[in-house]
Amino acid sequence: NVEVVNALGKITLFPNPANSVLNIAGDLTILENGKLEIYDVTGKKVYVEDAKFTQNQANINIENLQNGVYILKVSSNNASNSYKFVKK
C-alpha cells in the first residue's frame, strides 16, 4: 500500500537523544496492525508492542533501556521502516 509506505517514511522521533520517553509522530492512524519493535546495536529485540494508533502521536517508555544506540522498527501490513535513536 503506497499510503502506508509514504506514512512510514515520514515518521519522526523526538527527543533524540531521549531519557525516559521516546515520542513518535507522523501519519500513524493510517498504519493498520501496527507494530513497534526496538533493537539494540547487537540486533537483540528489547521491546515489542502491537500498536493500535488512534492518533498521530505515540510514545514508548524507554526508562528501563540501557544507555546507547537503538533502532526503532515501525511496521504495518508487510511494510516497515527503521529509525535510529539514542537513549541517554
Side-chain angles (χ1 to χ4, degrees), residues 25-41:
D27 193 6
L28 302 180
T29 56
I30 201 169
L31 304 179
E32 299 174 0
N33 305 315
K35 183 178 271 190
L36 302 173
E37 298 168 289
I38 297 177
Y39 296 87
D40 66 15
V41 290

Side-chain angles (χ1 to χ4, degrees), residues 21-56:
V21 175
L22 181 67
N23 296 291
I24 305 160
D27 193 6
L28 302 180
T29 56
I30 201 169
L31 304 179
E32 299 174 0
N33 305 315
K35 183 178 271 190
L36 302 173
E37 298 168 289
I38 297 177
Y39 296 87
D40 66 15
V41 290
T42 68
K44 177 182 171 193
K45 188 185 301 181
V46 295
Y47 178 90
V48 63
E49 175 187 345
D50 289 328
K52 303 273 188 274
F53 297 113
T54 58
Q55 54 193 27
N56 285 327

